[in-house]
C-alpha cells in the first residue's frame, strides 16, 4: 500500500544552524504535501504545504521543496531557534482520495541554545 | 486550530469496556477524521466522514466505529476496549477540496 518514509527520526542542531527533514512517498498520484509541527501535549499544526505543480515554497525561515520525479520532498528550517524544537510530520495525499493523508513517522527536532 | 475540541482529554478504562470519544468543531468543515498516534507510527487514519451520516474506514479501523449525526460532531466508539487501543487520539477537520487538515488537541486513552 501507499506509504511515506521520513528521515531522520531525531535531529539535533545548534541554534542558528539549518535543519533539513526528508520524506519519500510511494503513490505517484499524490498531489498535496503538508508539513505539521507538533509541540508536546498538543495537536499537530500545519506550518507549510506544497502542491505538485510547484517545486519550492518559502515562508520566512521555512521552505519546502518537491521533486516529483524522485518522489521526494523536504522541509528546510533556517536560522533555527529553540522554539523550533518539536516533532515534525510530513504527509502526502492519497492518490485515490485527495482529502485523505498518509503521514510519515515523525522527526524529533532539538535546537540547542 | 479551526475551533476543534475533543472530550474527554484524558481517559483511563478497563479492557472490555465501551468507550466513546467526541470531537466537536465550530468551523462548519465538511470533512472530519479520527487518527491515532503511536510512537514510531506517526498518525494513522481510523475513520473519516465526508458529510453528515457519510463515513468510511481508514487504514486501522478494526475495533472502532464512528457516527456523525450533525456537521459539528464526530464520535469515535471502541465497542470493547483492548490494551492495543491505548493511544493518543486526534480528531481533524478539512474543507472541501482544499486538502488542509486542522487538528484538535487530542485525547489520551489508556486501556488497562
Amino acid at each position: 500500500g501507499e506509504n511515506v518514509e521520513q528521515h531522520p527520526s531525531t535531529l539535533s542542531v545548534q541554534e542558528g544552524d539549518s535543519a533539513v527533514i526528508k520524506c519519500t512517498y510511494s503513490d505517484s498520484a499524490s498531489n498535496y504535501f503538508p508539513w505539521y509541527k507538533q509541540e508536546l501535549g498538543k495537536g499537530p499544526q500545519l506550518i507549510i504545504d506544497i502542491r505538485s505543480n510547484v517545486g519550492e515554497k518559502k515562508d520566512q525561515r521555512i521552505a519546502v521543496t518537491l521533486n516529483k520525479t524522485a518522489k521526494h520532498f523536504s522541509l528546510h528550517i533556517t536560522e533555527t531557534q529553540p522554539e523550533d524544537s518539536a516533532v515534525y510530520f510530513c504527509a502526502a495525499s492519497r492518490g485515490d482520495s485527495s482529502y485523505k493523508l498518509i503521514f510519515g513517522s515523525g522527526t524529533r527536532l532539538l535546537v540547542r541554545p | 486550530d479551526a475551533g476543534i475540541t475533543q472530550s474527554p482529554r484524558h481517559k483511563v478504562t478497563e479492557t472490555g469496556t465501551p468507550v466513546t470519544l467526541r470531537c466537536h468543531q465550530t468551523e462548519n468543515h465538511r470533512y472530519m477524521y479520527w487518527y491515532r498516534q503511536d510512537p514510531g507510527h506517526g498518525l494513522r487514519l481510523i475513520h473519516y466522514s465526508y458529510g453528515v451520516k457519510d463515513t468510511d474506514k481508514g487504514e486501522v479501523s478494526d475495533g472502532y466505529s464512528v457516527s456523525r449525526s450533525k456537521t459539528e460532531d464526530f464520535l469515535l466508539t471502541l465497542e470493547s476496549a483492548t490494551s492495543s487501543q491505548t493511544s493518543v487520539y486526534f480528531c481533524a477537520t478539512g474543507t472541501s477540496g482544499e486538502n488542509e487538515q486542522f487538528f484538535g488537541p487530542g485525547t489520551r486513552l489508556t486501556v488497562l
Side-chain angles (χ1 to χ4, degrees), chain A residues 32 34 36 91-94 98-103, chain B residues 35 99 101:
Chain A
Y32 173 67
Y36 287 84
S93 62
R94 287 182 59 114
S98 62
Y99 52 86
K100 292 194 287 185
L101 299 174
I102 305 169
F103 284 82
Chain B
Y35 291 90
N99 304 115
Q101 294 185 18

Side-chain angles (χ1 to χ4, degrees), chain A residues 36 38 51 89 98-99, chain B residues 33 37 90 98-101:
Chain A
Y36 287 84
Q38 186 177 26
R51 299 183 189 275
F89 291 96
S98 62
Y99 52 86
Chain B
Y33 309 82
Q37 184 176 42
F90 287 99
E98 294 297 326
N99 304 115
E100 294 94 334
Q101 294 185 18

